[in-house]
Amino acid sequence: MQRTLAIIKPDAVQRRLIGKIINRFEEKGLEIIGLKKTIISEDLAKKNYSVHEGKDFFEKLIKFMTSGPVVILVLRGKNAIGVTRRLMGSTSGHEADPGTIRGDYAICGRFNLIHGSDSVESAEREISLFFDDTSIVESEKSDLKWIDGMSDDLTGENLV
């Protein structure tokens, strides 16, 4: 199972979209194994977004990400990174497809509601910035065989 990090940004928290966003992930079949609401420090925001340092939007991004509470999630599931990014939609809200989080709730690029890791390496680095091992709780779910297509447990063979 793959893990990824998602941050429900200050604009989404202020607009009371936390539950709607989390619901999208759970309905898709991703498991929340880490969850916290916090205000990100400037230092931590700079570490998380260090790949953008030197770009013209970097300082505005840091100011935005530290402007209010965020909800940080560690999600686990089959192809969790790709699934999460597709659920989020294009970076600019006005370009995001309807049915995605940004397509349904965002209109601009700067206030785009949610951050998600873009690779396995980024996910590992970002998760370690916000969570220690004691803050992540993994458990086996009985519904995973229905979500992941793992039918071996049911019939002794793969039906696909």
Side-chain angles (χ1 to χ4, degrees):
M1 290 288 163
Q2 194 174 65
R3 299 186 326 171
T4 191
L5 184 106
I7 301 174
I8 301 174
K9 295 180 178 182
D11 55 333
V13 172
Q14 292 300 319
R15 291 177 55 200
R16 295 175 208 88
L17 296 173
I18 298 168
K20 290 181 180 196
I21 292 170
I22 288 175
N23 192 49
R24 300 273 181 112
F25 296 131
E26 289 191 315
E27 284 183 339
K28 187 67 175 177
L30 295 171
E31 178 186 6
I32 298 169
I33 60 172
L35 172 75
K36 67 178 165 183
K37 184 176 182 182
T38 189
I39 296 176
I40 299 174
S41 69
E42 184 176 332
D43 182 53
L44 191 53
K46 286 181 177 180
K47 285 179 185 173
N48 190 58
Y49 291 104
S50 62
V51 297
H52 299 301
E53 194 166 3
K55 296 179 182 173
D56 62 340
F57 63 86
F58 181 73
E59 292 302 324
K60 290 179 182 177
L61 175 62
I62 300 308
K63 186 175 180 180
F64 168 56
M65 290 303 297
T66 59
S67 67
V70 298
V71 174
I72 307 172
L73 307 162
V74 179
L75 302 167
R76 181 178 80 151
K78 191 173 186 177
N79 303 310
I81 295 167
V83 168
T84 299
R85 294 189 65 79
R86 282 188 298 281
L87 286 170
M88 290 175 8
S90 296
T91 303
S92 293
H94 69 280
E95 295 174 357
D97 292 330
T100 64
I101 294 166
R102 290 176 178 145
D104 290 349
Y105 303 116
I107 195 73
C108 71
R110 183 187 299 173
F111 299 137
N112 64 2
L113 307 174
I114 190 160
H115 164 88
S117 303
D118 62 4
S119 67
V120 171
E121 297 77 25
S122 292
E124 290 174 5
R125 183 182 65 78
E126 292 174 354
I127 290 168
S128 71
L129 286 173
F130 294 102
F131 292 88
D132 61 30
D133 290 339
T134 63
S135 301
I136 296 175
V137 179
E138 296 188 41
S139 61
E140 290 305 315
K141 303 292 182 213
S142 63
D143 64 349
L144 287 180
K145 60 187 165 207
W146 302 103
I147 294 168
D148 294 340
M150 303 294 289
S151 60
D152 292 352
D153 292 347
L154 300 176
T155 64
E157 61 183 72
N158 195 336
L159 297 174
V160 180

